[in-house]
Amino acid sequence: MKSSGIGGQAVIEGIMMKNQEQYAVAVRKPDQEIVVEVQNYQGIVKNKAVKNLPIVRGVLSFIDSLVLGMKTLTFSASFYEEEENSKPSKADKALNQLFKDKAEDVVMGATVCFSVVAAVALFMILPYFISNLLEPYIISTKLMAVIEGLIRIAIFIGYILLISCMKDIRRTFMYHGAEHKCINCIESGLPLTVENVRISSKQHKRCGTSFLLIVMVISMVFFFFIHTSNPVLRVVIRLLLIPVIAGVSYEFIRFAGNHDSLLVELLSKPGMWMQRLTTKEPDDQMIEVAIRAVDAVFDWKSWQVEQGHLSQEEADRMRAEEGFEFYE
């Protein structure tokens, strides 16, 4: 199945879809109206040569996804803030006075930094210290690396199971399913309609859930071969290798998303299984929101014509019908 190159994420009562440097956020407001915002995001690094370097592009893509994800989440949340909280707090006023028009960027940057630090502490450092408790009983350093990796995966799965108990997170997972279904619908050669999206798979090889699981597996491989007896140096090595591990994991996800083979299918299975926890079946209203987000940034009809899924005549007919419905 040929990759369309589009990707996205679920936000609060909506979907963000990104195609190259353009992204769209579609949100269903409390009054049931769907609002769509389209903007450009070039990333933290503008140099295309640097952005296309293997491994490096994975690190940059991960950072960009955090920044853009936080920005789109904030946008979607703005429609659901309670009226009494709409007035700026004293902290907001202080930040606006101190940073002026850069206040939002500063808050965004601080939030992203905090999120990264918290994730590293929870999924990289904590498993190391837990596994360290077993060191007096286990002589093999390689076995210790495997145990640490298994603890890391267990914490990740436990975290997903814990947050999935929250009602708002369950709805977000449903929108996550709608995002995947739309992409799978397009890449399977089906017209992007509610009916076709509904029957499409809610699992996709390029998913962020798969990426995070691959990060943990790749980290286990790295730490299996790299070892030192100095406890402080062990922590430092884990911190220094995070960008490399993220970059290698990105290359695997990128390769898997563009290739169909038995080996790729087998290696992608664990990530696809994990997506059963982070994606849920969406309702038709959620699918409608996802379709609006896709339509805003991706000409799927032209793409399907290029891939041979649609004829030019069929694509033109669909556009004409959509135009008629719009002006009716």
Side-chain angles (χ1 to χ4, degrees):
M1 188 163 62
K2 178 75 172 178
S3 171
S4 61
I6 61 171
Q9 73 166 55
V11 295
I12 298 172
E13 293 300 323
I15 297 283
M16 182 275 286
M17 284 290 187
K18 188 172 184 291
N19 178 29
Q20 296 181 8
E21 294 180 348
Q22 192 175 50
Y23 72 92
V25 192
V27 179
R28 189 177 291 279
K29 295 164 58 178
D31 63 4
Q32 299 305 303
E33 177 193 356
I34 299 175
V35 60
V36 181
E37 180 181 75
V38 180
Q39 289 193 19
N40 288 328
Y41 179 74
Q42 295 182 340
I44 58 171
V45 174
K46 307 297 188 293
N47 189 299
K48 290 188 177 181
V50 175
K51 290 172 72 172
N52 288 326
L53 287 173
I55 309 297
V56 174
R57 63 190 173 193
V59 178
L60 296 178
S61 177
F62 177 67
I63 296 173
D64 284 338
S65 67
L66 287 175
V67 174
L68 186 56
M70 198 62 64
K71 184 176 181 180
T72 53
L73 274 172
T74 302
F75 171 77
S76 64
S78 66
F79 297 103
Y80 287 85
E81 291 176 349
E82 294 183 0
E83 193 171 9
E84 58 267 27
N85 293 331
S86 61
K87 294 181 180 179
S89 64
K90 290 182 180 179
D92 292 330
K93 291 179 180 177
L95 285 169
N96 288 329
Q97 288 179 349
L98 186 61
F99 298 105
K100 300 186 181 193
D101 57 338
K102 297 290 184 181
E104 185 177 344
D105 293 337
V106 170
V107 172
M108 198 80 65
T111 305
V112 169
C113 289
F114 175 79
S115 300
V116 171
V117 171
V120 169
L122 181 60
F123 300 119
M124 296 299 288
I125 304 304
L126 180 61
Y128 163 72
F129 282 111
I130 293 176
S131 64
N132 234 26
L133 298 175
L134 301 173
E135 194 170 24
Y137 311 102
I138 299 175
I139 299 175
S140 172
T141 57
K142 289 182 171 28
L143 180 57
M144 283 292 294
V146 173
I147 292 172
E148 180 187 342
L150 293 176
I151 291 172
R152 183 173 294 112
I153 293 172
I155 290 175
F156 178 59
I157 294 174
Y159 173 79
I160 296 297
L161 290 172
L162 184 63
I163 64 172
S164 64
C165 295
M166 302 167 62
K167 181 181 177 181
D168 288 343
I169 296 298
R170 285 200 301 271
R171 286 192 62 81
T172 302
F173 285 172
M174 291 171 73
Y175 275 104
H176 189 196
E179 174 219 331
H180 284 189
K181 280 174 168 285
C182 277
I183 297 174
N184 280 322
C185 177
I186 292 169
E187 294 179 346
S188 297
L190 298 173
L192 192 62
T193 65
V194 172
E195 293 74 19
N196 288 335
V197 172
R198 194 189 301 130
I199 62 174
S200 298
S201 173
K202 63 183 179 66
Q203 296 164 304
H204 198 284
K205 287 186 289 187
R206 296 199 312 271
C207 176
T209 303
S210 295
F211 170 77
L212 292 175
L213 185 62
I214 291 297
V215 163
M216 294 174 191
V217 173
I218 296 293
S219 68
M220 190 189 304
V221 174
F222 270 76
F223 301 148
F224 186 86
F225 292 103
I226 301 174
H227 182 74
T228 176
S229 58
N230 188 315
V232 176
L233 196 55
R234 287 184 206 168
V235 175
V236 173
I237 287 174
R238 277 155 177 75
L239 294 175
L240 292 177
L241 283 177
I242 288 173
V244 180
I245 292 169
V248 172
S249 301
Y250 173 84
E251 294 301 326
F252 172 80
I253 292 293
R254 190 171 186 268
F255 180 84
N258 288 285
H259 294 82
D260 286 318
S261 69
L262 180 59
L263 179 61
V264 168
E265 290 296 323
L266 289 173
L267 293 175
S268 299
K269 283 292 182 185
M272 302 288 273
W273 179 85
M274 276 297 299
Q275 289 177 46
R276 295 183 181 182
L277 301 179
T278 61
T279 60
K280 304 297 181 186
E281 286 295 333
D283 58 34
D284 287 356
Q285 286 192 324
M286 293 175 176
I287 292 174
E288 289 172 1
V289 173
I291 290 174
R292 289 284 298 275
V294 174
D295 280 335
V297 292
F298 186 63
D299 185 358
W300 59 268
K301 300 179 190 67
S302 294
W303 185 84
Q304 288 191 347
V305 169
E306 291 174 3
Q307 303 305 314
H309 298 308
L310 279 179
S311 67
Q312 188 61 58
E313 291 74 18
E314 289 173 317
D316 291 340
R317 177 179 55 78
M318 288 181 185
R319 291 191 181 95
E321 289 175 353
E322 288 172 359
F324 176 76
E325 290 174 3
F326 182 82
Y327 292 109
E328 187 177 23

